[in-house]
Amino acid sequence: MTMARPLFYAALLIFIVVAPFIFPDFRTQLATLWLMIIVALTWDMTGGQMGYNSLGNIFFYGTGMYVCAVVGIGIAHPVAEYTNASGGGIYKFTNTQYFLGAFLGILAAGIFCALCALIIGYFTFSLRGPYFAIGTLGVAIAAGELVSNWDFVGGGQGIALPVYPNDLDQGKLFFYFLFAITGVVLFVFLNWMYKTRFGAAINAIRDDEEKAEAMGIHTLRYKLTTWAISAFFVGVVGGISAYQLIHFEPLETAYQTINLGIFMVVCVLLGGKGTLWGPVIGAIMFHVFKEVTWNYFLGWQWVALGALIVVTVVYFQDGLMGWLKHTKPEWFGIRVESTSDEGAK
Amino acid sequence: MDTIIEVTDVSKSYGGVIANKDISMQVKKGSITGLIGPNGSGKTTMFNSIVGYHPINSGSIKFEGKEISKLQVPQIARLGLLRTFQQTRIYGDMNGVENMLVSQPHRKMSLRDAFTKNKNEDYERADHLLEFVGLYEKRFLQSGSLSFGQQKLLEFAMALMNEPTCLLLDEPTAGINPTLINGLIDRLQRANSEFGITLFIIEHNMRVIMNMADHIYCLAHGEMLAEGNPSDIQNDQRVVDAYLGAH
Ligand SMILES: Nc1ncnc2c1ncn2[C@@H]1O[C@H](COP(=O)(O)OP(=O)(O)OP(=O)(O)O)[C@@H](O)[C@H]1O
Ligand SMILES: [Mg+2]
């Protein structure tokens, strides 16, 4: 029994590594699945664990794309001239410039987005409930509009990044593993963080923020820290996406409030808010559903997706994990009845 | 004895309602001080002013000699001045032990300390205090499923876990089974004598407060009506009239 967990994780890790080799045709799909898992897990950090439902996390995704692109191009060429000439083809990147640019760009994207979260959070964390959701959504929409009018980063045309320098299939593997490593690091980090005092404190903020304040918890500091960590990872995957997609536009791709911006929330709701595995399972469920409808119900895919959202929100609010918690509380160590009390901490 | 809380000429109004008018009071360090008065006389408002829950209109509030009337709720709590709520507040989804652990003092907790797991001694202290209030058997139950009285006891234990210097209790015996009240009085007194926590207690149960308090303040219609030791208060005609007149 005690060996079950490490074995499970080891098997999972092996599967993650071999999956793109077993399913070579699905490398891009699997990479996108990781993207969904990561944005769902990060959304749940504030939405599920801390009780702050952000609709603006897509801001970090878009901003991460742009920061990464500007840095990645900037280390080799003048950015304004590059975007003015619509990028790709004319300007050449050596292998070193490509990989160094991608690495620094992705890192810069994460750091920049974390700083943005601190600043935006400082102003928006005084808002509660729907006001916070709408406030953060407003930030993402405004940012999309601003960026699409900013010629330095290519305006409404967006930016074209250099193409992966070697074999294209290898490129798909490269991006799969960039996403997978980010996802595994995030998962391991959250698995640990939710067990620390910090994790308990953000749960306290969710359960009763006034009580948490009255007990002296540094509520604002903890909220900012949580969102900054979340934004770091979203910025990082934004940066990876930028290189993976090669060309991206401000409104359709980067600040895609109605697509990815909403999908991440749906993933979490499907899987179950405020649990470690919920967002992961939800992202898988959602991704499969989406791919199936996109492939087999073309023309009706948005209707099917809309129906899924409505059904989730109306009938299945607590998601799969929430439903399990409710029906099998003992699996989660939750006790309500006052019968036995064996077992230590 | 030193003064630990010093309230001077504090007024607070909600729109047109004057809930506190020029109130002055002192709580002595190490004492048990009572605050009584009919429903709506402004007791909870006074507590809220002290802990920074809302801005006051005028006056000064000092804790250990330091002006705190402009500080925020968590800052005041971290100074060691803590309150419990009249409408008991605990984290309902957590069990008793989790509620206790998250209530550890944040005075000295840096962000880096927060990113560590609880230590064995933290669990031991939590268990010890749960035992102290008589909830040890129920410590793994989801606390939202506890009875109101048990939640009240848990909230008290959580406050003790926070190691306050001074604790403001808003009606600690309300909703507690009468047969358990004596036990609660005993625990409050031990919190005061053994842990050295100054207690400032709002209480409607006269037997309880007369038994425990060293000094009592009585509010009526937002104003200070009387103060003195329990026997003075008990024999004060104005206090008797205020209570009778209020019903
Ligand atoms: N948030 C508020 N907004 C408006 N008026 C309020 C508010 N809180 C309290 N009051 C008013 O202020 C007055 C004092 O209320 P307070 O809660 O301080 O009384 P109390 O002495 O604690 O009463 P009780 O014994 O019933 O708890 C009452 O008239 C009440 O209606
Ligand atoms: Mg009251």
Side-chain angles (χ1 to χ4, degrees), chain A residues 13-178:
Chain A
L13 203 59
I14 291 168
F15 179 73
I16 290 167
V17 174
V18 300
F21 298 100
I22 306 176
F23 310 107
D25 295 343
F26 290 93
R27 281 176 189 169
T28 306
Q29 294 288 355
L30 290 171
T32 309
L33 176 58
W34 275 110
L35 169 66
M36 298 306 292
I37 291 175
I38 293 164
V39 291
L41 275 171
T42 48
W43 188 86
D44 193 55
M45 291 172 69
T46 50
Q49 299 281 348
M50 201 170 76
Y52 277 80
N53 301 316
S54 159
L55 286 180
N57 278 17
I58 195 69
F59 169 83
F60 303 120
Y61 182 73
T63 305
M65 284 186 138
Y66 274 97
V67 171
C68 179
V70 167
V71 171
I73 294 164
I75 63 150
H77 304 288
V79 177
E81 288 168 32
Y82 179 95
T83 49
N84 201 18
S86 295
I90 305 166
Y91 289 88
K92 301 288 177 219
F93 288 79
T94 64
N95 272 10
T96 324
Q97 282 173 336
Y98 180 90
F99 287 110
L100 186 69
F103 174 75
L104 291 179
I106 289 166
L107 197 67
I111 294 169
F112 187 84
C113 288
L115 292 175
C116 285
L118 294 180
I119 296 163
I120 300 168
Y122 187 82
F123 294 102
T124 52
F125 273 130
S126 54
L127 304 172
R128 299 284 148 89
Y131 300 101
F132 179 77
I134 299 301
T136 50
L137 177 62
V139 171
I141 293 174
E145 288 301 326
L146 282 175
V147 167
S148 60
N149 286 304
W150 191 15
D151 289 336
F152 176 72
V153 292
Q157 302 278 313
I159 298 186
L161 279 163
V163 182
Y164 187 79
N166 307 323
D167 172 52
L168 226 58
D169 265 340
Q170 187 196 344
K172 286 181 180 169
L173 269 185
F174 175 70
F175 290 110
Y176 172 85
F177 279 109
L178 280 183

Side-chain angles (χ1 to χ4, degrees), chain B residues 14 17-20 37-46 48 86 170-171 202 204 219:
Chain B
Y14 298 104
V17 183
I18 301 173
N20 283 150
N39 289 121
S41 57
K43 304 181 296 296
T44 300
T45 302
M46 190 70 245
N48 284 337
Q86 181 168 358
D170 200 340
E171 303 193 18
I202 293 178
H204 278 299
L219 296 181

